[in-house]
Structures are given as structure tokens and as C-alpha cells.
Amino acid sequence: MPHVKVHSILLLISFLALKHAAVLAYELPEEPGEEAHSPNPAFIVELGGESFYSLDLPAGKGMGGLAAIMIDVDVRISQRFWVFGAFHFDSSVWYDYMNRPAFLREEEGFAYDVELEVEEFFATWSPVPDRISFSAGRMFSVVSYANQLHLADFQFNMKPRIFTDYFGSNHGLAVDGMAARFCREGRVARTSLFVEAAKNGFEGEDLVLTTTLDAAFDMGSLRFGLRGFQYFDHQGGDHPLFIYLPQADTFQPSYREGLRMNALGGGINLWWDLPWTESLFIQAEGVSRKLGGESLHGAYAFAILAHSPKLESSFMFQQLDIPVWSGDEGMADFGTQRERAYTAGLSYYPAEDHRLRVEYSRHTNSPFYDRMILAKWTFFIDLTR
């Protein structure tokens, strides 16, 4: 379908969305696995869309169009069993811009098409509601506060690089397999243990095993959470970290056969209801990622100030080590360089099912981005309301 036609359809759907309601405003993230729906049977289908415009300031070039069309299906059969699916039709222009290094984009350019991405499709059974649950299918991993969210639900236009770069694409880390959740509720704290045994979709890749411990505290106007995780995998040459290689055949034999790559990380978030404005939300996470005998370290932190139900301002700082490959053809080794990014932006909600987001980002030592302005319009329609 031509780009112009797809974008026209997106604008038409967006106009119709003004008659519907699906809250986009930023809220304290729920514990992964915790459902916001009623325990009564329910069937919910949401249609969403995103359009974007980016301006590369050093090059003076701009581009824009369709980012994605999204269909989310939530079927709650009973309090103990439900099914969820998130199907996104991603624009290759947006996907390539987010995931391909600048030198590849310049050499190969963009070929426009729309591809189906099954972000999540899983079933959950809870033998003890709100305490124990088991899920099977494709799910966003719960190792990170930011990773467990869909990109359209994340406050910024791009997910933190420590997860998109170390584990997956701009969608984050999705795992195909099984997960279990065990929760204990106290007077002011809730603690949970999550275990995932799965694969994350890359070719030649063995089992991924994660364990995550989460604690959430509610003190009235102040709420905060703590999370720590362990991640183990054994990756082959198709891992996202190898996208920095100038040639696909420049692996040492040990890299070609597969490489142990473990990770440890954790995070904290804090929600504070302020007397002089709406709220302040702060979140930070860090990761140590093994690659061969080296460790790559990265972290991010952001703050969101809600001035009113319709307006929010935000700032994020990111820092991560990325591999720098060197060597002759047929062989390669790597060192590291430190990438940093600063992002400031505004989110405006003209209606509760629409979000207009504009942000400025400055990256240093990044093979992907330099200085840019990125705008995105996100909306949802609840087709079953």
C-alpha cells in the first residue's frame, strides 16, 4: 500500500477516535502480570495508530509518516483465565530509523512497506487470583519497568537504549515461552517473584532464563518500587549487539558458534503527588551486560512533571557502553565506547485518547543518532466500548 494512502487512512481513523476514550496519560506502571480489568468476563478490542516526524539537525533533513497501526485484543474469560494479544503493523521507515545504524541507512536508504509485528500474544491462568499466575506465549519480559510497556505506552518516543540495544529492537525484549508470578501482599508493601523460561526470537539462540524480584510500597501520596533481575542467554551471530559490525562475515569462530551473554540489573521508580501541581514521577534503571570476556554497562534516569491532566514535561539521561569492532576480514574483535543521550520533551493530551509528543535529543558517540527533534501523535480507539 503506498505511503500516502496509509497515512491518509491513519488520519481518518484518528479523527474518528475523538468519539472514543482510552486513557493515554502517564500513570504509575502496574506490576507486570497485574491486570486492571474487572474479574468479570470481558472482551476488549482497541485500534491505535502513531504518526511521526523527525528532523536530523546536523544534516538538516526531515522525514515523517506512519509509525504503526496497532490492534490490542484483551479477552477475560474468568478471574482465573485470560488472553491478551498486541498486533502492530510497523512502518519500515520508522522501524529502520530506530534500529539501523546511520551508515547503513545512508548506504541502503529506505524501502517503504508495512510489516506485522506480534508484540505480545499469551494466555494466563491464575489458580490463586492476585497471588499466583502462569503465562505462556509471547510476552514482553518483566526484567525492566520500561521494557514491560508497549512503546506507545512509554512516555518517551524511544525506549531506553540499554534494553533496545542490549536485548532487542526499539520494541524492547520479547520472549517466547513460559512465565510464572508469585506475589505476597502486605500492609504497605507488595513483593513479587517472576521467572521466565523462553527464547527471544533470534536465530541459533538457546534458552533464555530470567528471574526478577519486585517490591512496591504505597505510602499514600508517595509510592515507590524496587526491582532487580538476572538474565542468562547463549546468543549466536544474529544478536542485536552485532549490528555494529561493518560486515556480516567478520566474526571470530567463537562469536559465530554462539557466546554466553549474561546480564544483571535493577531499577527504582517513585511517584509523588505534589500539593502545588499534579505529580512528579522519577524512574531509573541500570544493566551490566556480558559479551564474551567484556562487560557492557548502561543506565538511564528520567523525571516526568505533570503540570495538569493535559500537559507533562520530561527529561531523560542515558549512558551505555557499545561495542566497537575492529579486525581484518573474516576476523573481528571489539573494544567499547561510551554513548550518552539527553532528551527533553513535552506531552500534550488534547483528549484522553490522544497524545501529542515533541522532544529534542542530543546523542554523543552514537552510531545511530546525533541531534534531532522527534514528534509523534499516538491515539487509541476502544472498538468494544
Side-chain angles (χ1 to χ4, degrees):
M1 183 178 292
H3 188 182
V4 174
K5 290 184 179 180
V6 172
H7 195 56
S8 299
I9 293 172
L10 182 67
L11 292 176
L12 176 61
I13 294 173
S14 150
F15 174 76
L16 295 174
L18 289 170
K19 299 181 180 179
H20 300 266
V23 176
L24 278 176
Y26 196 75
E27 297 178 352
L28 184 68
E30 294 178 350
E31 178 183 304
E34 180 184 21
E35 298 299 311
H37 306 301
S38 164
N40 299 321
F43 178 71
I44 300 172
V45 178
E46 290 185 334
L47 175 66
E50 291 187 307
S51 57
F52 81 100
Y53 182 80
S54 67
L55 176 61
D56 185 332
L57 294 174
K61 296 180 179 179
M63 63 181 297
L66 174 69
I69 295 174
M70 302 163 283
I71 301 174
D72 292 353
V73 181
D74 200 341
V75 182
R76 177 171 286 275
I77 299 171
S78 70
Q79 190 176 9
R80 288 182 168 84
F81 187 75
W82 62 91
V83 178
F84 177 76
F87 309 96
H88 287 203
F89 295 88
D90 287 336
S91 156
S92 59
V93 175
W94 170 254
Y95 186 86
D96 289 349
Y97 183 71
M98 292 293 100
N99 293 283
R100 301 174 69 198
F103 75 90
L104 285 179
R105 298 199 302 265
E106 293 171 0
E107 291 176 0
E108 301 176 12
F110 293 100
Y112 183 81
D113 63 3
V114 176
E115 296 183 357
L116 172 62
E117 174 78 18
V118 181
E119 288 205 332
E120 292 191 285
F121 186 42
F122 63 89
T124 298
W125 173 57
S126 180
V128 184
D130 301 321
R131 294 292 181 268
I132 301 174
S133 64
F134 301 95
S135 300
R138 167 164 288 193
M139 304 156 281
F140 280 136
S141 175
V142 302
V143 297
S144 153
Y145 291 118
N147 188 79
Q148 74 189 53
L149 298 173
H150 292 264
L151 183 59
D153 299 323
F154 188 56
Q155 175 63 14
F156 294 81
N157 281 323
M158 296 185 289
K159 280 191 174 181
R161 295 263 296 142
I162 57 173
F163 297 103
T164 63
D165 195 60
Y166 287 175
F167 299 101
S169 67
N170 67 308
H171 293 288
L173 169 63
V175 294
D176 300 313
M178 301 183 68
R181 167 183 179 252
F182 308 93
C183 177
R184 183 180 183 277
E185 192 86 28
R187 286 173 42 178
V188 296
R190 179 186 59 205
T191 56
S192 301
L193 173 67
F194 303 89
V195 179
E196 299 167 327
K199 292 187 175 183
N200 69 4
F202 295 105
E203 296 179 3
E205 183 243 355
D206 296 320
L207 182 69
V208 169
L209 178 65
T210 75
T211 55
T212 303
L213 183 62
D214 181 89
F217 304 85
D218 190 341
M219 299 180 179
S221 62
L222 179 64
R223 287 158 283 168
F224 67 95
L226 300 171
R227 181 170 301 178
F229 75 89
Q230 168 273 334
Y231 177 100
F232 170 80
D233 66 356
H234 186 81
Q235 297 283 6
D238 199 37
H239 189 271
L241 283 170
F242 297 130
I243 196 172
Y244 300 100
L245 281 167
Q247 298 181 33
D249 60 351
T250 55
F251 294 108
Q252 290 182 355
S254 61
Y255 294 117
R256 189 184 301 276
E257 294 170 2
L259 193 62
R260 290 181 182 272
M261 295 198 288
N262 300 327
L264 294 172
I268 183 172
N269 61 30
L270 181 148
W271 180 285
W272 189 12
D273 294 322
L274 300 174
W276 46 273
T277 187
E278 288 289 315
S279 62
L280 174 66
F281 182 73
I282 298 173
Q283 184 167 294
E285 295 186 291
V287 170
S288 177
R289 184 74 157 114
K290 293 287 288 186
L291 177 58
E294 298 286 336
S295 292
L296 307 176
H297 304 287
Y300 76 89
F302 68 74
I304 301 170
L305 182 62
H307 305 280
S308 71
K310 290 185 175 292
L311 182 65
E312 297 171 344
S313 59
S314 52
F315 177 81
M316 177 163 61
F317 170 73
Q318 302 184 67
Q319 178 175 290
L320 71 157
D321 299 327
I322 58 175
V324 179
W325 297 88
S326 62
D328 299 327
E329 185 174 350
M331 296 286 287
D333 205 347
F334 72 94
T336 62
Q337 72 180 27
R338 182 151 294 177
E339 175 184 323
R340 291 188 175 92
Y342 308 84
T343 304
L346 287 172
S347 292
Y348 174 65
Y349 303 88
E352 60 182 354
D353 58 349
H354 284 250
R355 180 176 70 201
L356 301 175
R357 171 77 181 171
V358 179
E359 61 185 37
Y360 166 80
S361 295
R362 179 181 179 86
H363 296 253
T364 60
N365 291 329
S366 173
F368 286 78
Y369 321 108
D370 188 358
R371 291 181 292 116
M372 65 178 176
I373 296 174
L374 183 58
K376 192 188 284 188
W377 179 6
T378 305
F379 66 85
F380 279 96
I381 310 170
D382 185 346
L383 300 179
T384 52
R385 172 163 290 187

